[in-house]
Amino acid sequence: MKITGRTGILLMLADPVAHVVGSHRLNERFDAEGHDIAVSPLHVSPPDLPLVIGAIRRMQNVRGFGVTIPHKIDVLPLLDATTPRAALVGAVNFVRRDGDGRLTGDNLDGTGFVDGLAHSGITLRGRRVLQIGAGGAGRAVAFAIAEAGAAELVVHNRTRDRAASLAADVAAAHPHCRTVAGDNDPRGFDVVVNTTSMGMHAGDPLPLPTEHLGAHTDVAEIIMTPEITPLLAAAQARGCRVSLGKSMLDEQYKLLKALLRIGAAAP
Ligand SMILES: NC(=O)c1ccc[n+]([C@@H]2O[C@H](COP(=O)([O-])OP(=O)(O)OC[C@H]3O[C@@H](n4cnc5c(N)ncnc54)[C@H](OP(=O)(O)O)[C@@H]3O)[C@@H](O)[C@H]2O)c1
């Protein structure tokens, strides 16, 4: 990759930052497609977020930035606009910087997840879905699952209030999808999704009792590292079709290019 003064810069704000691998995958894709864009992680502590966002407005070769833990919600009031889906989810994960410094936030997590499932041959329309996790990414994923036409969505989360509140929000936005909070037993579900961080670290407990997974149940993960989490390994061993966390980011790449107007539509 050749980075010059003509290169468009994309930043990824996180704290901690050491686990961030999305920048590498995005750089590979931009490079492979011949786009003069370079992506760099930026370690930003929460109290410094307003200062950094203000500075990015002034950085004229910055095309935009990604935000991840813990900035996805706190960045919202610092932006000029958010897309309807980001407003619905209440969190942002990518921001476009226009030439005049105006910042528009979007949330590509949910649509990226659903597109990633489709890429793995897994559909949602009319199906019963169990989602574990109601954190930042989990919120985006739940809205997108309902929007994609799932018949039923059960949300389980360690902190039960968060699951109940997410289920109520999704039910209000998508009444066709019966959305409730529940337990983590996968029996009877067509699709099971882990949106928690359980599985990132060695020794993490499994997010659900995998001995109850039937071969007909599709299992999706959003964790990118490791690529095959203990949940996915157990699901594969039981004959389930799986979707990897990296599929979600790979699909977000296409959505990100549209948000940043990179490619044919670039100004
Ligand atoms: N593939 C992609 O493109 C993509 C995109 C975004 C995020 N991710 C990954 O998704 C994961 C979650 O990210 P996030 O932004 O949603 O994080 P987050 O907002 O911090 O949410 C974390 C979730 O995990 C649960 N959790 C954490 N530790 C737990 C434990 N020991 N036992 C039970 N539940 C636990 C939390 O439950 P509580 O509510 O009870 O705390 C919450 O539901 C991370 O691994 C992240 O890297 C992947």
Side-chain angles (χ1 to χ4, degrees):
M1 181 192 298
K2 183 175 151 193
I3 303 174
T4 72
R6 293 182 184 279
T7 305
I9 304 297
L10 188 61
L11 302 164
M12 297 193 79
L13 281 50
D15 180 30
V17 80
H19 68 287
V20 172
V21 291
S23 48
H24 177 57
R25 291 190 73 80
L26 289 174
N27 278 322
E28 283 183 332
R29 298 289 296 269
F30 284 129
D31 202 29
E33 291 188 9
H35 297 300
D36 192 8
I37 303 282
V39 188
S40 173
L42 213 58
H43 192 168
V44 179
S45 302
D48 295 330
L49 189 66
L51 183 73
V52 171
I53 300 292
I56 289 174
R57 284 182 188 277
R58 307 280 187 96
M59 295 176 179
Q60 297 175 37
N61 61 342
V62 172
R63 297 286 294 266
F65 57 94
V67 276
T68 185
I69 298 171
H71 303 309
K72 285 184 173 183
I73 295 169
D74 293 345
V75 77
L76 257 121
L78 303 173
L79 306 176
D80 299 300
T82 47
T83 60
R85 64 183 161 195
L88 198 60
V89 172
V92 155
N93 77 328
F94 280 106
V95 177
R96 180 181 69 242
R97 180 192 175 282
D98 292 327
D100 59 0
R102 184 178 160 81
L103 302 176
T104 302
D106 200 351
N107 194 315
L108 310 181
D109 275 334
T111 310
F113 171 76
V114 169
D115 292 353
L117 278 193
H119 191 78
S120 308
I122 299 173
T123 58
L124 289 165
R125 186 156 299 281
R127 304 187 82 195
R128 298 187 65 211
V129 183
L130 170 64
Q131 173 176 321
I132 314 296
R139 278 192 68 84
V141 166
F143 279 103
I145 287 171
E147 193 184 353
E152 183 180 339
L153 174 61
V154 173
V155 181
H156 172 82
N157 195 51
R158 173 179 61 180
T159 309
R160 285 164 184 262
D161 288 356
R162 271 182 119 181
S165 149
L166 174 57
D169 290 350
V170 172
H174 299 287
H176 69 270
C177 179
R178 204 178 77 82
T179 306
V180 292
D183 71 25
N184 66 347
D185 188 336
R187 277 178 287 199
F189 287 94
D190 303 309
V191 183
V192 168
V193 181
N194 176 39
T195 71
T196 74
S197 48
M198 277 189 290
M200 280 181 88
H201 306 291
D204 279 355
L206 284 162
L208 55 94
T210 52
E211 66 276 16
H212 292 165
L213 279 172
H216 67 280
T217 301
D218 299 329
V219 178
E221 180 64 88
I222 74 166
I223 290 171
M224 285 181 286
T225 317
E227 193 167 294
I228 301 293
T229 59
L231 169 65
L232 290 183
Q236 283 176 327
R238 299 184 73 81
C240 305
R241 184 163 41 180
V242 302
S243 177
L244 311 189
K246 70 175 184 181
S247 311
M248 174 171 165
L249 184 72
D250 287 346
E251 294 302 321
Q252 288 195 61
Y253 171 73
K254 296 169 194 162
L255 304 167
L256 179 62
K257 282 197 302 181
L259 174 68
L260 300 186
R261 299 171 180 153
I262 291 167

